[in-house]
Amino acid sequence: TGNRRPRFRSRWTTEEDEELRRRIEQRQTAGIIAAAMGRTNHAIRRRAGELSLMVPTTIAPWRAGVKR
């Protein structure tokens, strides 16, 4: 983790999928996740959609207790 250089068109591993799920559960935004995982915002949102996950945004952040 940390600020890694974005990787372009690299395949997602099972470990990365699990990390993405964990970070979304922690209510991290796409920008924070992207920086930590070395991916672009678009890649994070796209993969989350493929996994049927919703990434919180700064415009409409999740409310505590409301499951999305």
Side-chain angles (χ1 to χ4, degrees):
T1 50
N3 289 330
R4 293 186 255 178
R5 185 173 174 217
R7 295 176 305 188
F8 295 99
R9 301 188 187 267
S10 59
R11 293 184 186 264
W12 285 79
T13 64
T14 303
E15 292 81 18
E16 288 175 317
D17 285 345
E18 290 302 317
E19 182 178 354
L20 178 60
R21 283 186 179 94
R22 189 182 78 252
R23 289 177 178 280
I24 289 173
E25 286 175 7
Q26 293 172 352
R27 308 290 198 253
Q28 294 181 9
T29 63
I32 292 170
I33 297 170
M37 295 185 69
R39 299 270 184 174
T40 64
N41 283 356
H42 178 74
I44 296 299
R45 292 189 181 285
R46 183 174 164 270
R47 187 61 177 177
E50 290 173 357
L51 298 174
S52 300
L53 302 171
M54 286 186 67
V55 180
T57 67
T58 54
I59 297 171
W62 289 343
R63 292 177 285 152
V66 176
K67 186 172 182 170
R68 295 237 180 208

